[in-house]
Amino acid sequence: MADKKITALTSLGTATAREDLVHVVDDPSGTPINKKVTIGEMENALMAPVSLADSAVTLTEATHAGRLLIGNDLTADRIMTLPTPVAGMHFRFVGPNIASAGEDGHDLIIAAGTGNSIYFQGQVTFLDIDGDAISVVGSDGNSNENLQINVPGHYDVECIGVSSTVWRVTGFVASDTAPAFSD
């Protein structure tokens, strides 16, 4: 086959399969080397779950975006700080990973930014464990930069970047105490 520019190659389009190969330049900012990866291997590597530390964590696109973020049994209230949103970037938080069917004794706070310049829009469904009630808790849509998940029994919350200043939030929280959005 004669040399061709990548842009001159035929697209597989919807016929793409997990066993198809992709050309990758490994370590482009260091010592670049050409390698191959199947689409399946690439997808698995990029979507591998990440267990969140029992500490404050500043999330990054490279390490956390697009992956299932598993929350642990916390020993204190913890803040997970999102990076500046990019349209399409998303983070999905599930947990807590505790041994019993009880609730975590501490809060998980998802922070979108500071100074209300980056904020949440959207709602989460609150499932009241002890009161058998269901409600919706929403952000104010223009300044709420924190989502506090209070002593959760379980949560599944997704934050999706819709612009450089807005995180769209959706999901649910099961607890005795309702989650809360704040500035």
Side-chain angles (χ1 to χ4, degrees):
M1 172 168 97
D3 290 342
K4 285 187 177 182
K5 291 184 178 184
I6 290 176
T7 55
L9 297 174
T10 303
S11 172
L12 280 174
T14 59
T16 301
R18 289 183 61 86
E19 66 272 4
D20 291 336
L21 296 175
V22 176
H23 174 251
V24 176
V25 178
D26 187 23
D27 196 17
S29 59
T31 307
I33 185 166
N34 290 311
K35 293 187 177 179
K36 67 178 181 180
V37 65
T38 68
I39 289 177
E41 290 168 335
M42 182 174 70
E43 186 173 277
N44 292 345
L46 294 176
M47 297 191 66
V50 175
S51 184
L52 294 171
D54 181 15
S55 62
V57 177
T58 299
L59 303 170
T60 65
E61 182 177 14
T63 302
H64 304 99
R67 298 177 183 215
L68 186 64
L69 305 175
I70 301 170
N72 284 305
D73 186 6
L74 302 176
T75 58
D77 293 355
R78 301 295 187 201
I79 298 173
M80 304 294 151
T81 304
L82 296 166
T84 299
V86 173
M89 184 188 330
H90 68 279
F91 297 85
R92 182 175 173 207
F93 300 86
V94 298
N97 184 18
I98 53 180
S100 70
E103 297 168 84
D104 194 325
H106 302 283
D107 303 344
L108 173 67
I109 301 151
I110 303 172
T114 57
N116 301 325
S117 60
I118 299 174
Y119 51 90
F120 291 113
Q121 289 182 341
Q123 305 84 13
V124 292
T125 301
F126 170 54
L127 308 171
D128 186 356
I129 295 172
D130 62 356
D132 297 326
I134 299 173
S135 61
V136 174
V137 177
S139 69
D140 67 6
N142 63 18
S143 67
N144 289 158
E145 62 188 31
N146 295 309
L147 168 57
Q148 185 158 341
I149 300 172
N150 296 299
V151 291
H154 180 60
Y155 56 84
D156 189 336
V157 174
E158 189 159 11
C159 302
I160 304 158
V162 295
S163 71
S164 62
T165 59
V166 176
W167 285 105
R168 173 76 176 146
V169 64
T170 187
F172 73 87
V173 174
S175 177
D176 288 333
T177 308
F181 287 93
S182 65
D183 292 352

